Amino acid sequence: MIELTGRLICADAAEAERVRQALPEHVALTRAEPGCLSFEVEPCGPLVWRVAERFTDSAAFEAHQKRMRESEWGRTTSGIKRDYEIREIG
Protein backbone atom coordinates (compact mmCIF):
# COMPACT_ATOMS: atom_id res chain seq x y z
CA MET A 1 0.00 0.00 0.00
CA ILE A 2 1.16 3.56 -0.71
CA GLU A 3 0.29 6.37 1.69
CA LEU A 4 0.76 10.08 1.08
CA THR A 5 0.31 12.55 3.93
CA GLY A 6 1.09 16.22 4.17
CA ARG A 7 -0.11 19.69 3.37
CA LEU A 8 -1.03 21.87 0.42
CA ILE A 9 0.14 25.38 1.35
CA CYS A 10 -1.22 28.42 -0.48
CA ALA A 11 0.80 31.62 -0.62
CA ASP A 12 -2.24 33.91 -0.64
CA ALA A 13 -6.03 34.14 -0.83
CA ALA A 14 -6.04 33.88 -4.64
CA GLU A 15 -4.29 30.49 -4.53
CA ALA A 16 -6.64 29.32 -1.78
CA GLU A 17 -9.64 30.27 -3.90
CA ARG A 18 -8.26 28.27 -6.83
CA VAL A 19 -7.99 25.26 -4.53
CA ARG A 20 -11.54 25.71 -3.20
CA GLN A 21 -12.93 25.94 -6.73
CA ALA A 22 -11.09 22.94 -8.19
CA LEU A 23 -11.08 20.62 -5.17
CA PRO A 24 -14.56 19.02 -5.38
CA GLU A 25 -13.99 17.64 -8.88
CA HIS A 26 -10.44 16.53 -8.02
CA VAL A 27 -11.68 14.62 -4.96
CA ALA A 28 -14.50 12.95 -6.91
CA LEU A 29 -12.22 11.90 -9.78
CA THR A 30 -9.53 10.59 -7.43
CA ARG A 31 -11.93 8.56 -5.30
CA ALA A 32 -13.25 6.92 -8.49
CA GLU A 33 -9.76 5.80 -9.61
CA PRO A 34 -8.94 2.09 -9.53
CA GLY A 35 -6.76 1.39 -6.50
CA CYS A 36 -7.78 4.44 -4.48
CA LEU A 37 -8.51 3.28 -0.93
CA SER A 38 -8.99 6.72 0.62
CA PHE A 39 -8.50 10.34 -0.35
CA GLU A 40 -9.07 13.23 2.04
CA VAL A 41 -8.24 16.92 1.61
CA GLU A 42 -9.42 19.05 4.53
CA PRO A 43 -8.75 22.71 5.34
CA CYS A 44 -6.67 23.23 8.47
CA GLY A 45 -6.32 27.00 8.18
CA PRO A 46 -7.26 29.72 5.71
CA LEU A 47 -4.37 28.89 3.35
CA VAL A 48 -3.51 25.28 4.24
CA TRP A 49 -5.13 21.91 3.50
CA ARG A 50 -4.26 18.59 5.12
CA VAL A 51 -3.91 15.80 2.55
CA ALA A 52 -4.14 12.06 3.23
CA GLU A 53 -4.20 9.47 0.44
CA ARG A 54 -3.97 5.68 0.31
CA PHE A 55 -3.61 3.55 -2.80
CA THR A 56 -3.45 -0.23 -3.11
CA ASP A 57 0.03 -0.23 -4.66
CA SER A 58 2.65 1.87 -6.43
CA ALA A 59 1.07 1.28 -9.87
CA ALA A 60 -2.25 2.74 -8.68
CA PHE A 61 -0.45 5.66 -7.03
CA GLU A 62 1.60 6.39 -10.17
CA ALA A 63 -1.55 6.25 -12.31
CA HIS A 64 -3.14 8.77 -9.95
CA GLN A 65 -0.12 11.06 -10.13
CA LYS A 66 -0.16 10.96 -13.93
CA ARG A 67 -3.89 11.67 -14.13
CA MET A 68 -3.56 14.46 -11.58
CA ARG A 69 -0.73 16.19 -13.48
CA GLU A 70 -2.73 16.11 -16.71
CA SER A 71 -6.01 17.27 -15.11
CA GLU A 72 -7.57 20.68 -14.54
CA TRP A 73 -6.52 20.32 -10.89
CA GLY A 74 -2.92 19.80 -11.90
CA ARG A 75 -2.93 22.86 -14.13
CA THR A 76 -4.81 25.05 -11.63
CA THR A 77 -2.61 24.18 -8.65
CA SER A 78 0.75 23.62 -10.34
CA GLY A 79 2.50 26.51 -8.56
CA ILE A 80 1.08 25.85 -5.10
CA LYS A 81 3.52 24.51 -2.49
CA ARG A 82 3.16 20.90 -1.43
CA ASP A 83 4.77 19.43 1.69
CA TYR A 84 4.17 15.67 1.35
CA GLU A 85 5.61 12.44 2.67
CA ILE A 86 5.08 9.26 0.67
CA ARG A 87 5.51 5.86 2.34
CA GLU A 88 5.08 2.26 1.34
CA ILE A 89 3.15 0.34 3.98
CA GLY A 90 3.33 -3.43 4.39
Side-chain angles (χ1 to χ4, degrees):
M1 182 179 344
I2 302 295
E3 178 181 73
L4 179 148
T5 57
R7 300 176 303 153
L8 181 67
I9 305 164
C10 297
D12 56 32
E15 283 187 356
E17 184 58 25
R18 292 194 337 245
V19 169
R20 279 191 286 279
Q21 292 296 315
L23 188 58
E25 179 179 25
H26 178 54
V27 169
L29 290 172
T30 300
R31 288 179 178 167
E33 291 175 4
C36 179
L37 299 173
S38 65
F39 185 79
E40 302 295 329
V41 182
E42 300 291 332
C44 60
L47 301 178
V48 180
W49 279 260
R50 182 189 59 78
V51 180
E53 311 175 7
R54 283 193 175 188
F55 290 86
T56 53
D57 54 30
S58 59
F61 180 72
E62 290 303 320
H64 163 68
Q65 291 293 303
K66 182 179 186 312
R67 186 207 56 83
M68 183 273 306
R69 284 189 296 273
E70 297 170 355
S71 72
E72 183 62 31
W73 170 264
R75 289 184 291 278
T76 299
T77 65
S78 66
I80 297 175
K81 180 180 178 181
R82 286 147 163 92
D83 178 23
Y84 294 156
E85 177 182 325
I86 300 168
R87 308 183 305 149
E88 187 168 352
I89 300 172

